[in-house]
Amino acid sequence: MATETFAYTPCPGWGDHDYCVLKTIVQDGKIVRAEKTVYPNEDLAVGHICQKGLESIKQPYNENRLLYPLKRVGARGEGKWDRISWDQALDEIAEKLLKIREEYGAESLMFWNFIAGVPPMFGVGQLLASRFMSVWGATDTCQSYGLDNGPMFAGLYTFNNQFGGISINPRNLEGADLIIVWGANPVENQMRVAKSLVEARENDCFIYDIGLVFDATAGFADKFIPVKPGTDGFLALAMARYMIENNLYKKDYVTEKTVAAYLVDTETKLFARDGENYLIWDDAARNTVSIESGGALPASPGLFGSFTVDGKELKPAMQVLVDHLDSYTLTETERICGIDSATVIALCEAYAQAKKPYIMGALGLRYQNQGESYRAFYLLGMLTGSIGVEGAGVLTSLGCSSAPVVFNNAGIGRVEGMEQKTKFVRQKDFDKQIETGKPYPIKAFIKTSGNPAHNCPNRDRWVKAFNSMDLVVDIDIWMTDTGELADYVLPDCMPFERTEIVDMAAWGHVVLCEPAIEPQGEARDMNYILSGIAARVGLGEYFDKTTEEWLEVKLQTDFPPITSLDPPLTMERLKKEKLVAVNWPATPHFDPMLNLEPITLTGRMEFYAERLISVGMEMPTYFPPLESPSVDKPNDEYPYQFFTGRQRFFMQSMFTDDELMVELSGQEPSARMNPIDAKREGIVDGDKIEVYNNRGRVVIKVHLEESVPPGTIHVWFGWRQRQFEEGTYAELLIPLGHECTTNATGEIWYKEAKETYGEDDMGIAFATGYAGGWDTIWDCGCALRKVDNEKEA
């Protein structure tokens, strides 16, 4: 029997935000199984593997895998291709790029380089794509992506820290005595979190699930609270009102840690100031006192009331908040959210009385009002005194495997000493720029990771955009919806065939991932592809390293948890040890918000944000969803909410070509609707329906399930366009980053970033996160009609 060997591999399914590393077992040059990784510092990490990880070992051998360079020979999207050599592909692409640059300028080349598309995040390939953009002067459209930005927005205007509340070791949950899972489904989609939820329950933690659908997490929870689509923010603010009104909040914490005692000028809405200092009302002295930012408060600061000082009406921010919350009553909560008063009261009292409560959001509030909802979550955390406290807190995202290890990614992504030339375009301006050619035309498109025609709807938007271009290149492992619209499709290596460093593995571990097998067919890694193009367009001197040499550059960091390692962290050490734990401070479970020191101008957590006064959003505020029907905003033309969600067998579109995963997912795309709606529409289980709105349509079989609330139509995310009978779910969705999804708060965010970094600095992409557009994947109105099955047949 042949000897088994192994290599570590970033799991192809890690878009679930678990960022797992697989132990890939090989025999006779072929992968035979995958196992979970055992890390050297198990106090920080626990290795995991799920069904997607186990199944992923079949992907390199999938008959649908791209193995050779392809050139389009028919009409775009017709599906006619010629197999060509790498030399021909790279020669022709380079020749076209040079011609386009000469005619339209370097910036007319646009890259799609979305970092979550190919594991590991910030891998060599994606960093080299950034390098190419920088030296060529290409345009980057992933800045302002309009996805997953609600938590970052909420963090920015609460703590002036975008990332503190979006990443946490889930083992922190195990000591909580009450957890509210809000807009998440970790039992099906986040294995690490699911394990910690089980541990928490074993430790007598009571678990609530607040959501739209009765999913596996709802079934696991002690109590499920269904909420009407897009009204989560109203519920959170109604909870805040009840807790303050009934003295269920931690007064000392709120006073010391937040802006509750800071006086607000009711006319200007600005904090009242004495020069650079802030004014506080002293109840004992019956007068104002002046404190510096974050300074000590008087012994008896006023939190409530109205005071006239020098002819101006001043109120403590806490009183302003109370006034603001006046309309968020239990009666209105029942009307708008569909939750009875007794349930809300019980939830508030349980949350307030818990010693270590957690709110755990997870990017599930896919509505335009999501940023305000997450701000409301933080407000609840402030009222319970649970932010920055060990074993408690508010989590607005599920980056539950990654600690913020800092490597020299910039050393790969740009050329030292050279001014970077990358241009950035916001997605909300993307369509207009493609259509008008202003401020400059886009004539070439290279996609290095992601699948925009699939996961950045609407599909028609991309068909129109690509048809206006002279060159579209797709680099991938599958023929995706994007690839079908390309001129050239180039076969990338899978994670099993590449050398990478995973720098965010299992809370503080650096992992060397080496090829487990040789590349299948003629697949080549991104270094080969981009270096080949660069050499042909006169940029070869900037792409002169092997992948291992680039990884050596990555390791040249001044980050203390790395530089303090003994022996030093080098490729030589990684080749020997494979897994290295960094020197984190001695905390049992890393929590970025533990002992958080806000870097706001006030020096405190801000439920009242001066920076948003100009758009009337200084405090968390509920407003109805953009398009989804609601009590106060009915939609007679499109009376249903159309939404799509991630299911446990696919990961984005990564496993849509796997036969077993397709079988487990029902063999074909399908919709789900509530039997109450089906009865009214004359629909029975298994009928074929057409779901449509003014953007598109999809013809699909429907199943009736009580787990889906009335008034909604649900289709699982992930299925490719060709797997639908007619249309696709992506046709119905509002394009991410489209101007109709932009709101005033996002514009403030972007304006601040421009003032700090300028228009075309790399920093603006980081600083804005994906500002400029808002998630609307669940925020879509639709109508439906039954399709005559016999006529269709």
Side-chain angles (χ1 to χ4, degrees), residues 93-94 96-112 129-141 421-425 430 433-434 440-448 469-475 530 533-534 537 539 543:
I93 290 169
K96 291 176 186 290
L97 287 176
L98 291 170
K99 182 179 180 181
I100 290 168
R101 183 174 68 179
E102 181 178 358
E103 186 171 354
Y104 299 104
E107 64 269 25
S108 63
L109 167 61
M110 177 176 282
F111 267 70
W112 186 272
S130 293
R131 187 180 186 89
F132 193 102
M133 282 187 271
S134 178
V135 297
W136 177 272
T139 294
D140 183 353
T141 188
K421 304 174 185 177
T422 309
K423 301 291 184 181
F424 297 97
V425 60
F430 175 81
Q433 181 162 347
I434 294 294
Y440 54 86
I442 301 297
K443 288 297 181 180
F445 187 95
I446 297 179
K447 191 232 77 183
T448 52
M469 295 181 190
D470 297 338
L471 174 66
V472 178
V473 179
D474 185 64
I475 305 171
L530 293 178
I533 297 174
V537 297
L539 299 175
F543 293 81

Side-chain angles (χ1 to χ4, degrees), residues 199-313:
E199 293 291 337
R201 169 173 282 174
E202 290 294 317
N203 295 329
D204 296 323
C205 177
F206 191 92
I207 299 174
Y208 285 92
D209 182 77
I210 300 176
L212 182 62
V213 177
F214 190 88
D215 51 30
T217 302
F220 170 80
D222 295 290
K223 185 171 181 60
F224 172 60
I225 300 178
V227 63
K228 286 185 178 180
T231 65
D232 306 81
F234 193 99
L235 172 59
L237 292 170
M239 290 173 63
R241 181 187 191 275
Y242 183 87
M243 290 167 65
I244 296 172
E245 189 176 60
N246 292 276
N247 202 30
L248 293 174
Y249 68 99
K250 302 293 191 298
K251 181 178 178 180
D252 290 345
Y253 180 97
V254 170
T255 304
E256 280 296 324
K257 299 290 188 180
T258 81
V259 293
Y262 284 48
L263 289 172
V264 176
D265 184 324
T266 59
E267 182 179 352
T268 66
K269 296 187 178 181
L270 297 170
F271 287 122
R273 289 175 171 83
D274 176 16
E276 295 292 323
N277 292 344
Y278 294 88
L279 293 181
I280 310 294
W281 183 260
D282 187 338
D283 276 341
R286 304 303 298 165
N287 205 344
T288 60
V289 297
S290 174
I291 70 166
E292 62 183 8
S293 172
L297 298 171
S300 53
L303 296 186
F304 302 98
S306 176
F307 315 103
T308 301
V309 179
D310 296 332
K312 297 179 180 179
E313 183 187 29

Side-chain angles (χ1 to χ4, degrees), residues 1-5 25-33 35:
M1 184 175 180
T3 302
E4 291 185 343
T5 60
I25 312 299
V26 177
Q27 190 177 65
D28 292 329
K30 185 172 182 178
I31 302 171
V32 292
R33 69 181 183 278
E35 299 175 355

